Amino acid sequence: MMTTAAGATSYYLPWNLSVNVAEGSTTFRCMTANDKSELPKLGGPAARALADAGIASISDVRRYSLDDIAHLHGVGPKAVRLLQQALDKEDP
């Protein structure tokens, strides 16, 4: 456990997952050392669904099938299409 200067508390857990608790809200962020690829700009419901599932980058998306991601509440066909385009763009 670590407390930041802003007063947030970070708990470091296995699976490279960091949980931050500040002022009654909890946010989850998957942290990977070498991953710099960001998700495409998605609508709020899709972005929240991915964040709740621990998906914060394109490499996180690669761990799941797009069909599995499409079944998350809030992820629609447009979000799946944007994720597929981002995956295609990352692959040479």
Side-chain angles (χ1 to χ4, degrees), residues 25-55:
S25 66
T26 305
T27 58
F28 297 90
R29 179 178 172 178
C30 187
M31 299 173 8
T32 55
N34 296 325
D35 185 34
K36 302 291 184 205
S37 58
E38 294 182 12
L39 293 173
K41 180 93 171 132
L42 302 172
R48 285 189 296 275
L50 294 178
D52 289 346
I55 300 171

Side-chain angles (χ1 to χ4, degrees), residues 8-91:
T9 303
S10 294
Y11 298 90
Y12 292 98
L13 306 171
W15 322 291
N16 292 325
L17 183 70
S18 171
V19 180
N20 294 314
V21 180
E23 298 179 19
S25 66
T26 305
T27 58
F28 297 90
R29 179 178 172 178
C30 187
M31 299 173 8
T32 55
N34 296 325
D35 185 34
K36 302 291 184 205
S37 58
E38 294 182 12
L39 293 173
K41 180 93 171 132
L42 302 172
R48 285 189 296 275
L50 294 178
D52 289 346
I55 300 171
S57 67
I58 292 299
S59 65
D60 293 337
V61 171
R62 292 180 198 285
R63 290 188 229 163
Y64 303 92
S65 73
L66 286 178
D67 189 48
D68 289 338
I69 292 173
H71 282 90
L72 295 173
H73 181 75
V75 177
K78 181 177 179 182
V80 172
R81 185 177 68 249
L82 292 171
L83 291 170
Q84 181 62 63
Q85 290 171 354
L87 288 169
D88 293 344
K89 185 178 178 182
E90 292 286 318
D91 290 333

